[in-house]
Amino acid sequence: MSRNIVVVGSLNADFVINLDRFPAPGETIAGTSFETFPGGKGGNQAYAAAQLGGEVLMLGQIGGDAQGIWLRNNLATAGVDVSHLLEDREVTSGVAFISIDHRGQNQIIIVPGANGTFSVAKLKQHQSVIERAQIVLLQLEIPLATVIEAARIAKQSGAVVMLDPAPAEKPLPDELLALVDYLTPNESELATLTDVGLSEAIDLREIGARARELIARGAAKVIVKLGGAGALFVSAESQHFWPSISVPIVDTTAAGDAFNAGFAIALAEGMSEEDAGRLATAAAACSVMRPGAQPSMPTRGEVDQLLKQHPPQ
Ligand code: RIB
């Protein structure tokens, strides 16, 4: 079993509407179905890492409502250690409103709730769990100051820091990039972080050049998640592309979270970065075949089976 992954991040109740197409501004359309799933980028990565066989602890905050209890219990059923999950009774738990069209593509609006009041002071009260971590997974759905502090504590105690810069609204401070071992934007987040739009068609040379800008600003390595195309690994010395595994798509929500969890588990088990990327790609592929965020996260057996069916070319 891989050991000691700590996720510092968000938990959301996902309210999901399926529809044929997204509405235009000012337009009202009928959806085809509605469901509620446990989600949040932090919770999803914790749940996925536990499903893949990791020893995982989640550090985050729920609100004083039934949804918070539901989110905590769901993580616990996957074996995530929730003993350091905080509660802010003054606010609601985080929520996400997600629309999914007939191609499985999504649009997401989040309301942070308790994720937004997870302060640096509260984090510091639980500093010791980060100090004991082997790998720390971060995202951007809690206050940026809290993310920076978590990265600083993790780095000082020698943990590997993996930051999923999602949602990305503006370039990140260099102070944070310098603390990150693996930065994992998708294509649009890469454009936001480098403040330059990207061509519509995927151009690996252009994406590699943008990733190297982030390396020049401090990030050690960048992995750009390119959805159905695959993922591009970029370091100062090298570049490597993992093609995606083609599967029937039901819902792409949280595929990026499955990727990060898969990469972290593989590193924790001592795999090479190249093999870690393959496992991460397979975890993401498995996750798009089922609806929902946490319910779509695959077991290790499912991922290993998919990898066996798709050996490296
Ligand atoms: O990455 C997917 C997640 O983004 C969803 O579960 C939703 O909660 C939003 O945070």
Side-chain angles (χ1 to χ4, degrees):
M1 180 189 255
S2 56
R3 296 192 65 79
N4 219 358
I5 292 177
V6 171
V7 181
V8 184
S10 61
L11 298 99
N12 291 330
D14 290 354
F15 295 98
V16 180
I17 294 169
N18 287 284
L19 28 70
D20 290 332
R21 63 172 177 84
F22 298 120
E27 187 185 19
T28 301
I29 61 169
T32 53
S33 64
F34 169 74
E35 272 175 284
T36 311
F37 297 108
K41 293 184 196 305
N44 296 345
Q45 293 182 15
Y47 189 96
Q51 286 268 104
L52 292 171
E55 187 179 298
V56 184
L57 182 142
M58 173 85 206
L59 192 47
Q61 184 167 262
I62 53 175
D65 49 19
Q67 270 150 6
I69 295 165
W70 174 63
L71 290 167
R72 182 172 55 205
N73 289 347
N74 192 62
L75 285 183
T77 58
V80 176
D81 180 347
V82 291
S83 60
H84 289 262
L85 214 52
L86 315 176
E87 194 177 322
D88 182 346
R89 292 186 161 271
E90 302 298 311
V91 293
T92 55
S93 296
V95 289
F97 297 89
I98 304 180
S99 311
I100 301 173
D101 74 1
H102 73 280
R103 296 164 303 170
Q105 300 303 315
N106 62 52
Q107 290 183 342
I108 303 180
I109 301 168
I110 58 167
V111 180
N115 298 314
T117 61
F118 181 16
S119 63
V120 170
K122 289 177 181 171
L123 177 87
K124 281 186 162 170
Q125 289 168 14
H126 298 264
Q127 172 158 351
S128 61
V129 296
I130 303 178
E131 286 168 347
R132 289 196 298 271
Q134 182 186 351
I135 300 182
V136 174
L137 301 185
L138 304 167
Q139 318 78 29
L140 296 179
E141 286 184 342
I142 58 173
L144 184 60
T146 308
V147 173
I148 294 173
E149 188 58 28
R152 188 178 295 128
I153 297 166
K155 198 74 195 163
Q156 271 168 6
S157 45
V160 171
V161 177
M162 199 165 164
L163 171 63
D164 191 354
E169 281 160 27
K170 51 184 183 224
L172 289 173
D174 292 359
E175 173 199 7
L176 174 57
L177 292 178
L179 298 168
V180 173
D181 294 292
Y182 296 96
L183 184 71
T184 63
N186 66 20
E187 222 186 334
S188 77
E189 289 150 5
L190 179 68
T192 304
L193 296 183
T194 54
D195 219 4
V196 185
L198 287 165
S199 322
E200 252 189 33
I202 288 173
D203 176 347
L204 292 183
R205 279 170 65 145
E206 184 188 17
I207 290 168
R210 293 268 179 282
R212 270 186 289 278
E213 284 176 28
L214 296 169
I215 290 171
R217 286 179 43 207
K221 295 167 186 175
V222 178
I223 299 172
V224 187
K225 295 181 277 192
L226 299 168
L232 182 71
F233 170 92
V234 184
S235 71
E237 308 80 33
S238 66
Q239 189 162 311
H240 179 83
F241 181 69
W242 296 289
S244 67
I245 299 172
S246 178
V247 292
I249 296 175
V250 172
D251 176 2
T252 58
T253 309
D257 298 327
F259 184 99
N260 281 38
F263 196 84
I265 283 294
L267 287 187
E269 289 178 0
M271 287 189 198
S272 67
E273 287 167 335
E274 191 170 334
D275 288 346
R278 288 193 62 244
L279 191 140
T281 302
C286 285
S287 78
V288 304
M289 292 192 274
R290 279 199 287 261
Q294 287 168 33
S296 74
M297 295 305 174
T299 62
R300 184 55 175 270
E302 288 173 314
V303 172
D304 288 343
Q305 180 67 23
L306 190 70
L307 280 170
K308 221 183 268 172
Q309 289 162 357
H310 297 269
Q313 302 298 314

